[in-house]
Amino acid sequence: KQWYQRRVPITAGGIFDVLIIDNRFRETELWLAVGRNDIAIYPRQKSLPLEVHTYDSIISFGAPQVNVFKITIEGHAPLEMNTPEFLDIARLMKTYIGIMVKMKKEKSTDCDSALIPLL
């Protein structure tokens, strides 16, 4: 994973070993990269992602059962994976989404305060 962290352009975040449950990829043992702006699925030891999804396109995520993590993505089949790190993934995604929401609210508030009422 250290090689990957040096070669793959994700911003902060974490890299997790996952076993994809469905057959959407040729390989089932992959990496899930959780970054500040998006998530990505990578073949292990490779630097080009198979899929990248922004947090805006993620409808829901969570652990329907122990060691299973599911991400529902707009316009795609749900992504289900086995991983003992499901809680760490969920916490990290929740943190990044919370930061994005806070930044959008602050940006919206800044724009609102810049408006001058015309009387």
Side-chain angles (χ1 to χ4, degrees):
K1 286 186 189 177
Q2 289 177 345
W3 170 88
Y4 170 80
Q5 288 174 323
R6 288 191 308 267
R7 299 279 314 251
V8 173
I10 65 164
T11 307
I15 302 156
F16 303 93
D17 291 321
V18 297
L19 180 65
I20 301 296
I21 294 173
D22 62 25
N23 295 325
R24 71 196 291 167
F25 305 111
R26 204 166 27 152
E27 300 174 44
T28 57
E29 293 184 9
L30 301 169
W31 280 333
L32 172 65
V34 179
R36 185 174 23 170
N37 300 312
D38 53 36
I39 62 160
I41 300 292
Y42 286 87
R44 292 187 185 174
Q45 306 298 324
K46 305 285 182 187
S47 61
L48 292 175
L50 299 170
E51 286 186 3
V52 178
H53 301 284
T54 64
Y55 290 115
D56 289 334
S57 69
I58 295 174
I59 297 168
S60 66
F61 63 91
Q65 55 188 316
V66 175
N67 291 336
V68 174
F69 193 72
K70 181 177 180 180
I71 304 172
T72 304
I73 302 161
E74 187 176 336
H76 292 78
L79 183 59
E80 289 191 68
M81 56 200 86
N82 284 327
T83 177
E85 300 174 294
F86 64 97
L87 286 175
D88 295 330
I89 295 168
R91 286 183 189 125
L92 193 54
M93 288 178 65
K94 182 180 177 186
T95 298
Y96 286 134
I97 290 171
I99 291 168
M100 288 179 64
V101 168
K102 183 178 177 183
M103 288 174 56
K104 285 182 181 182
K105 282 183 182 178
E106 288 174 358
K107 196 179 243 187
S108 173
T109 303
D110 289 346
C111 290
D112 291 344
S113 64
L115 296 177
I116 300 171
L118 298 174
L119 299 175

